[in-house]
Amino acid sequence: MLARVTAALAPAYTVQRELGAGGMATVYLAHDARHERDVAIKVLHPDLGAALGADRFLAEIKTTAKLQHPHILPLLDSGSADGLLWYAMPYVEGETLRGRLQRETQLPIAEAVRLAREVADALQAAHARGVVHRDIKPENILLQGGPGTPHALVADFGIALAVQSAGGARMTQTGLSLGTPQYMSPEQATGEKVIDARSDLYALGAVTYEMLAGEPPFTGPSTQAIVARLLSAAPPSLTATRSTIPPHVEAAVLTALAKLPADRQASVSEFAAQLTGAMPVALTHAGEAHRQTGTAVEGSLRDPRRITRTLNRTRAMLGVTTLIALAATGVVTWLVTRPTTVSPVSSFLLSVPDSASLLDAPVSRRVAISRDGRRVYFVGGTTANFGLFRRDLADTLVQRVPGTDRGYGPVLCPDGKWIYFGRAPQEVWRVSPEGGQATRVLDSATVGDCNDAGEVLVLRRGRLLLWRDGQAPREIAGADSARGEGSLGTGSFLPGGTHAVFSLRRIGQMNTSSTLATVPLAGGATTPLTVTGLRPTWSNGQLLFVRDGDLVAAPFDAQRNLLLGEGVSVVRNVATRNQGVDFDVSDDGTLVYASGTFGTRYRLARVDRGGREELLDREPALYSWPRVSPDGKRIAVEVQSSNSTFDVWLFALASRSLERLTSGFSGVRPLGWSADGRRIAYLTMEQPGTPQAKRIITWVPWDLSSPPQRIPVRTPDGSQVEDATLRSSTDLLVFRSRGYGAPGDLWVAGPPPAGDTVRQARPFVVTDADEETPRLSPDGRWVAYASNETGQFEVYARAADGTGGRVSLSAGYGAEPVWTPDGRGLYFRGEGRMHFVALTSGTTLEVMRHDTLFVDPYRRESLAIPYDVFPDGQSLLMQKPGGTSSRYPIVVLNWMGLLRQGGAKR
């Protein structure tokens, strides 16, 4: 793309480099040859340009070119070349407000108010000419004038009106929308046709809120979560976060964030006056609500169960007749229909305290709902202190269920007598729904369902069992390896009391595409169904299951045991975990589920030896174990998708784009690149889902120009490869084995013997201590590793051929060693800091210099190294924490109505 832009804009502009990219355009630094000045040229993404049309876009952009104001970044030039639409602005030395917030989080109150007033002045000038920005956010506010008292410059007026006017229906059809969820007004988020200046006022209120509080008023792990909160919740109180904020400032900001445009200030200039106290502001709307009742109001706004009994009250609060899902992003928001005899569909986040937010850990399902649809149970808390919580939908009170500490996977019995749940290590417990003394009932099992007869379906060692109180569990279904069956998933009872439905993974089948099947409770042959999915459940004539992250409803005749259709996706992005997935349904048509995936999201960052950081990607993702190519152009990294598959992806540094390399739970962990940069080694699973499953090292060309090449390894004790290092498919392989949580040993393996394809491993470092993270030096002569033989982990090196003793490199605590590309230095991690040692080269290895580097807040991981070194040897590829998965259960009232609407929209 850079080459294309450079050629298209020559000779008038000499493009030098990319400055940044967003959802709609990429910005380049260029030199204006005619006027001998540097400019910033914004090039619209080709698909957006095609949707707009060059003539219409360039005609409309003339209006924005007339905007002149001290706090508006002017438009210098615009044009179309090689199918690309572009416009030029002055290049401003300095930083954006986003950069300032990333560095400082919160601004001094006086400075936040001053910057907000300057942005308001710029917007007022634009609004007077009929121009609505539509995308006010910290990234579009430039700070000019140095670190003392920088002034605000509002950018991107060159795109607002032009896209709005030129795009029209064509832009909607492409699935593109103008705006950023954290700063988007409710009317913009719900697709209202008429967006006026009050939408910019809302966005400026959100930006001001973030300058004062350190985060936007509404956050979440996904667009779905953010917009759902935006439409259904009140912003948290500013003074609760920062007590020094004056009351009039909080009142002004919260009034600007009113759901209804009519409840906001009349103009941005009025907002600016209220910020400074020059104009009084009544503590109405959100501000007054927070001061009087705190989070109780937030809870009532989030939970429309009582509100939806009266549609007029719902519409009055939200100010719209119909709220729809954003088709481009799959946003799940409120779906409130016009008055009919059919109950309305609505979807909302369940308000819970932060201390009780959904547990972010790989346990089986975390949500359940009572049969009458009135109460939700969920697994909440932290990994150190979690358990079951309950909350009535008609109330805001959240209570911990006594006796369920460290409990997960709740299953509610239809008679309301018991809640069954799991506890490590795979124990089944039960307790009264009100809590109390919990009782352990089974070991080595996972509970799936219970019925009116007091029977419980459990899964034990891959076999489906039926258990009743006081009786021994009885097997009703198991996997037959002779028929290619691998393992079973938890099951559910079907109506009529004669059959159960479950998922059956076949040998070699991906974890997310198990075949559904039914089985008689009395025992007998299983009947495969014609669909694949996870955790099937029958409700209201439909078989519900999760397929590829979607909750699917398929019509099912339980009497005839007959599936009547392939199914329709009801909601998107349902979290999938271990032996179940996060959803449950009640008899009255209420659905509760958790969205997203478990785990912390990370940003890929380049960090120099002084600790200066540059973010490389566009947004956080579930990255693991990134490895830089020898030419520094690509990063091989494991990415976990929303349906909990794990694959190796390639991240291109130039375009900041990801491309999948493996498909469907095959790429377990990238190990590194070959010395020539043509191949990537990663761990893959052979025969997944079976007792014979084992990890195999696989080489694959990064461009997939030839088939993958497996490198099987055999150890004398049959232990598995856990982490490995090698330079090519033919040279020495050094790896760790033994398994997670147990002391590890290091092994080496050369090429396989003649006539054999399996490498035979021999011991390299085998002690009673734990050895881990071996790393082969670039020349193949040395292996660096970490060992806790002294009582703490320290970094050592030893000759790869096994001769000679070990050399201590860390002189104290150290872990995760990584060589520099020239082999003359080595990085490792100490207690809270990164370290570097300069080494001699040759037949001996000695530490010449030891440097203690930057404070290290980046991701750490046991048994594998979650960072890498760039080819220059002076900068590191680190993973910066960037957010976790969904924290709140999502409730859908009358989910059957989604079927009448044709299901969830993409």
Side-chain angles (χ1 to χ4, degrees):
M1 190 64 183
L2 179 62
R4 180 181 174 187
V5 172
T6 301
L9 297 180
Y13 297 97
T14 302
V15 178
Q16 298 175 3
R17 59 185 172 90
E18 180 183 322
L19 293 175
M24 306 187 73
T26 302
V27 185
Y28 299 92
L29 174 63
H31 185 72
D32 181 352
R34 180 179 178 184
H35 301 98
E36 296 185 353
R37 62 185 176 183
D38 285 340
V39 296
I41 295 182
K42 179 158 284 193
V43 180
L44 272 61
H45 292 334
D47 51 357
L48 176 58
L52 298 179
D55 294 342
R56 188 71 184 275
F57 174 79
L58 296 176
E60 295 291 347
I61 208 171
K62 291 179 180 178
T63 302
T64 63
K66 299 176 182 178
L67 293 177
Q68 299 294 326
H69 190 274
H71 296 300
I72 292 179
L73 189 67
L75 181 70
L76 300 178
D77 194 6
S78 62
S80 171
D82 189 25
L84 301 174
L85 301 181
W86 60 272
Y87 59 96
M89 305 163 289
Y91 173 63
V92 177
E93 295 283 355
E95 64 179 341
T96 64
L97 177 58
R98 168 61 66 215
R100 175 83 179 274
L101 290 172
Q102 285 180 336
R103 190 175 69 254
E104 299 182 15
T105 305
Q106 295 167 307
L107 301 189
I109 295 172
E111 185 171 3
V113 169
R114 178 178 58 80
L115 292 174
R117 288 188 59 200
E118 292 176 353
V119 175
D121 289 344
L123 290 174
Q124 186 64 40
H127 295 165
R129 286 184 170 268
V131 178
V132 180
H133 192 289
R134 283 184 163 230
D135 199 17
I136 292 295
K137 57 185 177 182
E139 288 83 351
N140 284 336
I141 299 173
L142 309 179
L143 302 181
Q144 186 180 41
T149 55
H151 294 286
L153 279 176
V154 182
D156 259 7
F157 274 109
I159 195 173
L161 182 63
V163 170
Q164 175 186 353
S165 302
R170 288 175 296 166
M171 183 173 170
T172 303
Q173 290 166 4
T174 65
L176 296 166
S177 62
L178 184 61
T180 303
Q182 291 90 335
Y183 313 98
M184 194 182 290
S185 66
E187 61 269 26
Q188 190 174 353
T190 54
E192 289 292 292
K193 293 182 179 179
V194 178
I195 300 297
D196 60 21
R198 293 172 296 183
S199 184
D200 280 352
L201 170 59
Y202 181 96
L204 178 55
V207 171
T208 308
Y209 186 104
E210 183 172 4
M211 288 192 289
L212 295 168
E215 63 178 15
F218 302 108
T219 60
S222 64
T223 300
Q224 293 96 318
I226 295 170
V227 176
R229 294 198 67 197
L230 160 70
L231 296 175
S232 61
S237 169
L238 278 169
T239 53
T241 303
R242 192 173 177 183
S243 60
T244 54
I245 296 174
H248 69 273
V249 172
E250 178 185 44
V253 172
L254 294 179
T255 300
L257 294 174
K259 306 292 184 193
L260 287 172
D263 287 339
R264 301 171 200 151
Q265 291 88 347
S267 65
V268 287
S269 59
E270 182 177 312
F271 169 68
Q274 291 176 355
L275 278 178
T276 62
M279 178 181 291
V281 54
L283 292 179
T284 58
H285 194 66
E288 178 67 15
H290 274 295
R291 291 188 177 280
Q292 290 184 356
T293 58
T295 58
V297 169
E298 182 180 354
S300 66
L301 286 174
R302 278 186 180 168
D303 298 342
R305 187 176 182 85
R306 290 170 293 177
I307 298 172
T308 52
R309 294 172 185 169
T310 306
L311 285 175
N312 290 337
R313 185 177 176 188
T314 303
R315 296 195 187 100
M317 184 182 74
L318 292 176
V320 292
T321 302
T322 303
L323 293 182
I324 61 174
L326 289 177
T329 55
V331 172
V332 181
T333 108
W334 294 18
L335 302 171
V336 184
T337 62
R338 291 180 173 85
T340 66
T341 57
V342 179
S343 299
V345 180
S346 60
S347 174
F348 57 94
L349 292 177
L350 191 69
S351 174
V352 301
D354 288 345
S355 60
S357 59
L358 281 177
L359 178 67
D360 190 35
V363 299
S364 59
R365 67 172 180 151
R366 299 169 295 170
V367 295
I369 190 168
S370 59
R371 280 294 180 94
D372 60 10
R374 296 182 178 182
R375 177 177 288 183
V376 169
Y377 291 82
F378 61 94
V379 184
T382 65
T383 53
N385 181 24
F386 65 89
L388 301 188
F389 290 80
R390 63 173 180 258
R391 177 170 159 195
D392 290 343
L393 295 185
D395 198 355
T396 60
L397 180 64
V398 175
Q399 296 178 303
R400 190 157 187 153
V401 180
T404 63
D405 290 350
R406 305 194 72 77
Y408 57 84
V411 170
L412 278 62
C413 290
D415 59 6
K417 183 177 181 181
W418 298 111
I419 299 176
Y420 287 88
F421 62 95
R423 270 186 182 153
Q426 285 198 315
E427 297 174 344
V428 177
W429 291 65
R430 70 182 181 190
V431 70
S432 164
E434 301 302 320
Q437 183 65 41
T439 305
R440 184 178 64 186
V441 295
L442 287 172
D443 294 326
S444 303
T446 302
V447 63
D449 197 9
C450 57
N451 63 14
D452 293 310
E455 296 171 319
V456 181
L457 281 175
V458 296
L459 189 69
R460 174 183 282 174
R461 300 184 183 93
R463 313 190 82 78
L464 194 63
L465 309 178
L466 186 68
W467 174 78
R468 184 190 289 268
D469 198 7
Q471 298 180 8
R474 175 172 57 85
E475 180 178 326
I476 60 174
D480 185 350
S481 59
R483 295 191 300 177
E485 298 172 352
S487 60
L488 274 62
T490 51
S492 300
F493 289 106
L494 290 172
T498 62
H499 284 74
V501 61
F502 61 98
S503 59
L504 173 64
R505 181 148 60 105
R506 300 190 178 280
I507 296 176
Q509 194 173 34
M510 291 188 299
N511 192 43
T512 56
S513 58
S514 298
T515 300
L516 300 188
T518 63
V519 63
L521 297 182
T526 62
T527 302
L529 302 178
T530 58
V531 292
T532 60
L534 296 174
R535 199 184 162 253
T537 299
W538 189 91
S539 178
N540 290 286
Q542 302 286 322
L543 191 64
L544 293 168
F545 52 92
V546 171
R547 180 173 62 204
D548 296 329
D550 289 358
L551 178 59
V552 176
F556 185 78
D557 186 338
Q559 299 300 320
R560 294 187 295 161
N561 207 27
L562 182 63
L563 194 66
L564 304 177
E566 288 294 312
V568 173
S569 294
V570 178
V571 294
R572 309 283 187 192
N573 198 29
V574 177
T576 306
R577 353 186 118 230
N578 273 10
Q579 297 168 0
V581 289
D582 283 339
F583 82 92
D584 197 16
V585 289
S586 66
D587 291 340
D588 74 343
T590 302
L591 162 70
V592 60
Y593 72 98
S595 68
T597 53
F598 70 87
T600 301
R601 297 173 183 269
Y602 294 92
R603 302 292 303 273
L604 298 177
R606 184 196 298 264
V607 184
D608 67 18
R609 295 181 58 175
R612 287 174 289 273
E613 174 190 284
E614 174 193 0
L615 295 177
L616 303 175
D617 50 9
R618 301 181 190 274
E619 60 184 358
L622 290 165
Y623 296 124
S624 295
W625 304 294
R627 300 291 181 256
V628 185
S629 62
D631 61 7
K633 294 181 178 180
R634 298 174 182 85
I635 297 170
V637 60
E638 179 195 275
V639 180
Q640 180 186 349
S641 66
S642 61
N643 60 9
S644 289
T645 58
F646 299 82
D647 284 298
V648 178
W649 292 66
L650 286 181
F651 179 84
L653 284 158
S655 62
R656 296 194 293 177
S657 62
L658 279 166
E659 182 178 357
R660 189 194 300 267
L661 186 68
T662 66
S663 179
F665 206 68
S666 57
V668 178
R669 180 189 305 162
L671 298 175
W673 294 73
S674 60
D676 60 9
R678 299 181 61 182
R679 292 178 174 269
I680 300 164
Y682 61 90
L683 282 176
T684 188
M685 293 297 293
E686 188 175 74
Q687 294 182 308
T690 71
Q692 294 77 34
K694 59 182 177 181
R695 293 182 180 89
I696 296 293
I697 299 171
T698 300
W699 280 98
V700 63
W702 71 266
D703 58 0
L704 300 178
S705 57
S706 61
Q709 175 189 1
R710 292 195 169 193
I711 305 178
V713 181
R714 183 181 297 120
T715 56
D717 59 358
S719 55
Q720 297 266 355
V721 174
E722 299 294 343
D723 189 26
T725 177
L726 68 170
R727 298 183 308 153
S728 74
S729 61
T730 58
D731 66 3
L732 192 68
L733 166 68
V734 184
F735 63 95
R736 180 192 191 272
S737 73
R738 187 58 63 84
Y740 293 97
D745 297 327
L746 304 185
W747 305 75
V748 296
D756 196 354
T757 60
V758 180
R759 295 188 180 212
Q760 304 296 324
R762 65 179 187 276
F764 181 65
V765 180
V766 177
T767 69
D768 292 335
D770 193 7
E771 278 78 34
E772 61 181 40
T773 60
R775 284 298 176 267
L776 191 65
S777 64
D779 62 6
R781 301 177 63 178
W782 299 92
V783 177
Y785 64 95
S787 172
N788 65 354
E789 188 173 349
T790 64
Q792 67 174 353
F793 275 103
E794 300 183 36
V795 176
Y796 303 95
R798 188 180 179 192
D801 61 8
T803 61
R806 68 183 186 187
V807 179
S808 177
L809 302 182
S810 62
Y813 177 82
E816 301 177 21
V818 177
W819 297 89
T820 57
D822 61 7
R824 297 182 179 181
L826 183 135
Y827 292 91
F828 65 88
R829 306 179 91 161
E831 294 179 309
R833 282 187 174 272
M834 185 63 67
H835 294 256
F836 172 79
V837 288
L839 304 170
T840 59
S841 60
T843 57
T844 61
L845 194 70
E846 296 181 7
V847 175
M848 304 298 293
R849 189 181 76 255
H850 183 160
D851 299 333
T852 300
L853 305 179
F854 54 87
V855 174
D856 180 12
Y858 301 99
R859 182 181 190 179
R860 290 175 179 254
E861 185 69 49
S862 61
L863 306 185
I865 298 177
Y867 76 97
D868 203 4
V869 179
F870 280 95
D872 62 7
Q874 301 297 310
S875 54
L876 303 177
L877 173 62
M878 311 297 292
Q879 295 181 70
K880 180 180 181 178
T884 57
S885 62
S886 176
R887 303 178 63 195
Y888 306 98
I890 298 174
V891 177
V892 180
L893 306 180
N894 184 30
W895 67 265
M896 291 287 291
L898 295 174
L899 293 180
R900 291 188 292 272
Q901 298 171 9
K905 307 299 182 184
R906 286 285 183 193

